[in-house]
């Protein structure tokens, strides 16, 4: 990622965000912490909310969607246990912030967004940061992206009624998936490894107000 000149104030706020919201709550992976210190979150937040970019909260973005709370981004990312050589699938590109973090930690990131205008602006933001190891795809992410599977990690950033089975099929053995599933407003963030040791139904997270809609999401066969 290119280092851009940015107001010192944002850099300080980002350091404080990592120390007080993320490290303090137990996220330990040094690569994740470094990525969270690097990516300029304020560039992913609309002007109207920019001053709150580093606050401990999700924020509204375009098209009635949200950018997740920083801690949740860090926690979900840590759960993927990325080493750097993985191909990762994200469902729900939204602003592109989570994808930017993933780009710093994995070999390649496919991120799916159902709303074309959001996908386009996410792509522009990621390119603007000099990132090249990603592709933003406009489609229904509940079906995954079979053509590039299997993925060593799958992360869904919108709440599904249940885990979409097509996503599980596209996960590599030993790969991790992390997603919020279950009824709103409290969706448990579920972490599971395919044919691996971990299955952690964890963290009740009220921040996931954005529903995963589509074939295997809300309003589709899955609900
Ligand atoms: N990861 C984002 C936050 C995403 S909010 C960020 O870092 O900003 C959830 C996003 O999921 C929304 O943009 C919404 O449009 C998208 N979404 C919901 N259902 C979807 C589906 N079936 N396929 C792809 N994207 C979906």
């Amino acid at each position: 990622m290119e280092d851009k000149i940015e107001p010192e104030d944002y850099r300080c706020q980002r350091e404080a965000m990592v120390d007080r919201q993320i490290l303090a709550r137990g996220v330990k992976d040094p690569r994740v912490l470094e990525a969270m210190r690097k990516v300029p979150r304020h560039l992913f937040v609309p002007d109207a909310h920019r001053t709150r970019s580093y606050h401990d909260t999700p924020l509204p973005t375009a098209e009635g969607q949200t950018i997740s709370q920083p801690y949740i981004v860090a926690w979900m990312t840590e759960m993927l246990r990325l080493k750097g050589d993985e191909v990762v699938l994200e469902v729900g590109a939204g602003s592109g912030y989570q994808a930017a973090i993933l780009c710093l930690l994995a070999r390649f990131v496919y991120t799916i967004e159902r709303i074309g205008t959001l996908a386009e602006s996410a792509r522009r933001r990621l390119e603007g940061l000099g990132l090249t190891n990603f592709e933003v795809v406009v489609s229904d992410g509940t079906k995954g992206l079979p053509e590039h599977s299997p993925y060593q990690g799958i992360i869904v950033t919108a709440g599904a009624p249940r885990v979409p089975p097509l996503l599980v099929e596209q996960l590599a053995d030993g790969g991790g998936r992390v997603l919020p599933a279950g009824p709103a407003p409290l969706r448990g963030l579920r972490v599971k490894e395919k044919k691996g040791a971990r299955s952690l139904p964890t963290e009740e997270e009220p921040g996931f107000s954005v529903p995963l809609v589509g074939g295997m999401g809300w309003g589709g066969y899955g609900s």
Side-chain angles (χ1 to χ4, degrees):
M1 198 179 73
E2 285 167 15
D3 264 331
K4 290 255 157 75
I5 307 288
E6 64 170 329
E8 190 57 33
D9 188 41
Y10 280 134
R11 210 180 285 266
C12 292
Q13 288 187 42
R14 201 156 59 241
E15 288 291 321
M17 171 191 88
V18 172
D19 291 344
R20 293 186 202 147
Q21 301 169 32
I22 298 173
L23 252 175
R25 289 194 181 108
V27 172
K28 291 191 188 70
D29 185 330
R31 296 179 71 240
V32 173
L33 297 169
E34 193 191 330
M36 296 295 298
R37 288 188 205 282
K38 249 191 181 158
V39 175
R41 180 172 163 92
H42 59 278
L43 299 182
F44 294 82
V45 170
D47 288 349
H49 301 285
R50 186 146 299 151
T51 55
R52 300 169 64 215
S53 298
Y54 296 99
H55 289 196
D56 193 10
T57 179
L59 289 169
T61 56
E63 307 279 356
Q65 307 300 328
T66 59
I67 175 171
S68 309
Q69 181 189 6
Y71 165 65
I72 292 299
V73 173
W75 186 87
M76 290 177 84
T77 306
E78 182 175 53
M79 288 300 128
L80 291 176
R81 296 184 173 177
L82 300 173
K83 299 274 179 282
D85 56 355
E86 299 85 356
V87 179
V88 174
L89 177 67
E90 180 192 20
V91 176
S95 69
Y97 177 67
Q98 172 75 70
I101 298 285
L102 293 171
C103 282
L104 298 189
L105 298 171
R107 180 158 57 83
F108 201 88
V109 178
Y110 291 96
T111 181
I112 311 181
E113 174 53 56
R114 56 181 277 272
I115 302 175
T117 51
L118 290 183
E120 178 54 26
S121 47
R123 190 180 58 72
R124 265 190 275 112
R125 288 191 187 102
L126 294 167
E127 280 176 0
L129 292 176
L131 295 166
T132 53
N133 58 332
F134 71 91
E135 192 179 319
V136 185
V137 178
V138 181
S139 77
D140 174 7
T142 64
K143 303 190 171 99
L145 197 60
E147 55 271 41
H148 301 294
S149 69
Y151 303 97
Q152 283 77 46
I154 295 185
I155 177 170
V156 183
T157 60
R162 58 180 64 86
V163 179
L166 290 174
L167 291 184
V168 181
E169 273 175 29
Q170 293 168 33
L171 190 60
D173 288 350
R177 61 174 145 103
V178 52
L179 72 159
L186 281 177
R187 296 196 166 101
L189 275 170
R190 318 226 174 144
V191 182
K192 200 163 166 44
E193 250 162 39
K194 189 164 179 176
K195 297 192 179 164
R198 281 189 317 157
S199 174
L200 315 168
T202 26
E203 308 269 306
E204 287 292 312
E205 172 44 49
F208 277 94
S209 52
V210 179
L212 183 74
V213 293
M216 289 288 164
W218 294 105
Y221 313 116
S223 51

